[in-house]
Amino acid sequence: MKTVLITGATGDVGTHLARELAGKYKLRLSDRRPLKAKNFVKADISKMADCLRITKGVDAIIHLGGYSVEGPWEGILQANIIGCYNMFEAARRNGVKRIVFPTSNHATGFYRRDEKIDHRVYPRPDSRYGVSKVFGEALGRLYADKYGMEFLMVRIGNVHPFPLDKRRLSIWISPRDIAQLVSIGIDRADLKFEVVYGVSGNKRSWYDNSNAHRLGYRPQDDSEPYAAEILGAEAGQPKDPVAERYQGGTFCADEYDAPIPPE
Ligand code: 15L
């Protein structure tokens, strides 16, 4: 059984994956926040020594650790830029070849909702957070080309047991579908560097996810059964026209240009 490290294990996605993947892999869970679990190791990924310690002896890494929404630049810098570099570099030094990096729909959030994009589009980040995800994708490309490491870049929509709103009808991914996609990233033999969208088989998807399908992804869920109720509940609600135009939603709107309070 492969030993797999999950960073950011106390977060939403980490919690879903730890549950879905338990039994399939020997999991090592890590975060800077505490977690009551026997297989938990506390670590701050902005410190290289911590990254070297947690990556020792694992077969693969699911690197979720860091900011998962827009935030102050200093926080994004430490967690998502320095933290991501530390993790990939620690993996390289410890001989860990395989990394699944959950990037985000916010790496391409400034594509319009009336466009269908595939894995080859140039990034259009909608936030400092989105830029940090593009950094992770680029760093992974470098480590794949230069050091022969292997990456699955998953531009995740929104992981939740059900879609939360109209926007998420297009980008939702169920816990079992994200687990399937991540497992492909861990187990597929001939993976070098691939970008896929982390979405279920949603009828309203904004993505051509043929690259994920080529790699063997067969989503089991679709947001469509939730659509009527969600659209009915949102009908007549005031909407920000900018947020409505772009895939990144409110991340693209003016409110995110306002100064963000310090951590
Ligand atoms: C993300 O990238 C975030 O990690 C998640 O918390 C949600 O905000 C999601 O995108 C989304 O766009 O709904």
Side-chain angles (χ1 to χ4, degrees):
M1 190 183 267
K2 288 178 184 158
T3 301
V4 176
L5 168 67
I6 303 183
T7 65
T10 69
D12 276 356
V13 181
T15 306
H16 285 304
L17 284 178
R19 184 192 63 244
E20 296 285 328
L21 299 178
K24 186 160 192 193
Y25 307 112
K26 187 165 178 269
L27 297 178
R28 180 183 300 171
L29 308 179
S30 181
D31 208 304
R32 69 177 190 172
R33 290 173 297 209
L35 181 72
K36 275 207 172 95
K38 269 202 220 125
N39 53 347
F40 177 74
V41 279
K42 200 168 185 307
D44 176 354
I45 58 165
S46 67
K47 298 192 169 70
M48 179 61 94
D50 282 17
C51 296
L52 286 166
R53 179 169 49 83
I54 59 176
T55 53
K56 217 176 204 79
V58 302
D59 298 299
I61 298 167
I62 307 167
H63 176 44
L64 295 164
Y67 261 76
S68 62
V69 288
E70 181 63 316
W73 174 244
E74 194 47 42
I76 298 274
L77 175 66
Q78 291 301 326
N80 292 20
I81 306 287
I82 295 173
C84 181
Y85 172 78
N86 287 348
M87 281 301 299
F88 291 7
E89 176 59 16
R92 185 186 73 81
R93 289 191 208 168
N94 277 329
V96 185
K97 259 188 118 174
R98 183 64 67 102
I99 298 183
V100 179
F101 182 65
T103 160
S104 170
N105 71 90
H106 295 289
T108 52
F110 260 116
Y111 282 95
R112 294 173 62 108
R113 294 187 185 189
D114 57 11
E115 303 179 88
K116 200 157 216 165
I117 60 173
D118 71 9
H119 59 289
R120 289 168 299 203
V121 297
Y122 195 79
R124 294 184 75 172
D126 57 25
S127 49
R128 288 173 284 271
Y129 164 66
V131 169
S132 74
K133 291 299 183 179
V134 177
F135 171 82
E137 292 186 16
L139 190 69
R141 184 80 255 193
L142 171 69
Y143 274 58
D145 288 339
K146 199 161 196 171
Y147 303 118
M149 287 171 63
E150 300 165 340
F151 288 86
L152 183 67
M153 298 287 169
V154 187
R155 290 180 179 159
I156 298 185
N158 184 249
V159 183
H160 200 73
F162 52 85
L164 291 164
D165 53 23
K166 179 179 155 222
R167 180 174 158 272
R168 267 62 166 259
L169 289 172
S170 299
I171 66 164
W172 176 62
I173 183 163
S174 65
R176 63 179 174 174
D177 282 346
I178 188 72
Q180 184 197 147
L181 205 41
V182 164
S183 298
I184 290 170
I186 293 168
D187 292 327
R188 198 182 153 100
D190 60 346
L191 192 98
K192 296 289 175 222
F193 178 93
E194 298 290 346
V195 176
V196 297
Y197 290 92
V199 291
S200 282
N202 305 322
K203 184 170 164 244
R204 291 164 195 261
S205 180
W206 296 320
Y207 308 114
D208 166 356
N209 211 9
S210 48
N211 202 36
H213 292 263
R214 186 183 62 79
L215 295 170
Y217 179 48
R218 301 287 176 268
Q220 292 181 271
D221 295 302
D222 178 350
S223 62
E224 204 51 24
Y226 302 92
E229 195 185 334
I230 288 176
L231 296 176
E234 287 190 26
Q237 277 178 12
K239 298 273 186 188
D240 180 317
V242 174
E244 281 297 288
R245 187 176 312 134
Y246 296 108
Q247 298 180 0
T250 55
F251 281 49
C252 301
D254 282 351
E255 65 189 87
Y256 274 84
D257 290 339
I260 293 166
E263 283 167 83

